């Protein structure tokens, strides 16, 4: 194996091949994002399947996603909640939202997905003010500098037992580099600190390696 990273990718492909059904609609969703010039930063197939399993084992019906991109993770989550469920996903960039709309429709989950275009800080605050039915699972995967604020908002739109997942919390180890004061890294550190110290939450984080390199997920349960 030429390098550790190559090994991570090969094993990811092996695990995906053995365990994960990434069908034509998911492949097409990723490809369409590339064709339209969206950044290649969606979750991997094994990670998408992991999110879907989290939604299913927690019995989630209503999912809130912060950061849609081309809708790849949205499709995984919408399929996981199924016909009785719903995904609201928030995206700042209207071009991303347009590609995502096409992707979720083509994947057959269009009726289960509402795409809210705008700054997630505003959109989720509005959802909270409206006092809608709580979400069972929140996937936080947008601008990392705002992760602490997204956590506060997530707590306003969830209930005891809800699950909050944060993506990209390891960032190739940058999270422990004392020299790194990138706002995204600082946001992730504050997010993790809040997850660990807020009595409303029970949390952990897991490092991941794979086709997207070295990163990690944080997972919390609202108490
Ligand atoms: N969850 C997706 C990947 C999301 S990438 C998947 O795994 O398939 C992050 C997305 O967050 C990008 O599309 C970016 O445009 C969006 N974003 C960035 N800042 C945002 C903000 N302030 N509000 C809402 N979306 C934002
Ligand atoms: C980036 C963002 C993501 O959500 C991700 O999963 C990977 C990378 C980024 O902004 O580079
Ligand atoms: Mg991410």
């Amino acid at each position: 194996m030429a390098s550790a990273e190559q090994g991570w990718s090969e094993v990811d492909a092996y695990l995906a091949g053995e365990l994960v059904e990434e069908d034509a609609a998911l492949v097409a969703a990723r490809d369409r994002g590339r064709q339209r010039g969206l950044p290649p930063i969606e979750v991997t197939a094994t990670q998408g399947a992991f999110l879907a399993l989290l939604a299913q084992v927690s019995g989630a019906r209503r999912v809130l996603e912060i950061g849609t991109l081309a809708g790849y993770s949205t499709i995984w989550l919408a399929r996981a909640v199924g016909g009785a469920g719903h995904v609201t996903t928030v995206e700042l960039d209207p071009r991303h939202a347009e590609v995502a709309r096409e992707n979720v429709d083509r994947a057959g989950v269009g009726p289960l997905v509402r795409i809210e275009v705008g700054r997630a800080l505003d959109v989720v605050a509005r959802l909270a003010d409206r006092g809608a039915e709580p979400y069972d699972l929140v996937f936080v995967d947008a601008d990392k500098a705002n992760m602490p604020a997204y956590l506060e908002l997530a707590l306003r739109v969830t209930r005891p037992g809800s699950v909050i997942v944060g993506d990209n919390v390891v960032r190739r180890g940058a999270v422990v580099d004392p020299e790194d004061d990138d706002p995204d890294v600082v946001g992730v550190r504050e997010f993790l600190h809040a997850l660990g110290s807020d009595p409303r939450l029970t949390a952990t984080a897991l490092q991941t390696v794979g086709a997207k390199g070295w990163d990690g997920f944080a997972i919390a349960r609202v108490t």
Side-chain angles (χ1 to χ4, degrees), residues 188-217:
V188 165
R189 280 187 200 123
E190 287 175 1
F191 175 77
L192 291 172
H193 185 76
L195 284 185
S197 52
D198 194 316
R200 295 170 292 180
L201 295 164
T202 309
T204 190
L206 292 173
Q207 302 188 67
T208 54
V209 294
K212 276 182 78 179
W214 176 24
D215 216 324
F217 283 113

Side-chain angles (χ1 to χ4, degrees), residues 39-44 47 66-67 69 139-144 167-168 171 184 212 215 217:
I41 56 174
E42 67 285 332
V43 294
T44 62
Q47 291 171 345
I66 302 180
L69 193 67
F139 178 44
V140 182
D141 191 22
D143 50 328
K144 310 308 173 197
D167 195 20
N168 311 115
R171 317 190 73 76
D184 288 343
K212 276 182 78 179
D215 216 324
F217 283 113

Side-chain angles (χ1 to χ4, degrees), residues 9 12 40 90-91 101 137 160 166 196:
S9 277
D12 224 4
V90 188
E91 175 54 54
R101 183 80 259 167
L137 186 147

Side-chain angles (χ1 to χ4, degrees), residues 33 57 64 92 101-102 104 108 114-115 118 122 125 127 172 182-185 199 209 215 222:
V57 298
L64 174 64
L92 177 66
R101 183 80 259 167
E102 219 176 291
V104 298
R114 183 167 69 236
I115 304 177
D122 304 332
L127 294 174
R172 296 177 184 266
D182 179 284
D184 288 343
V185 174
V209 294
D215 216 324
V222 180

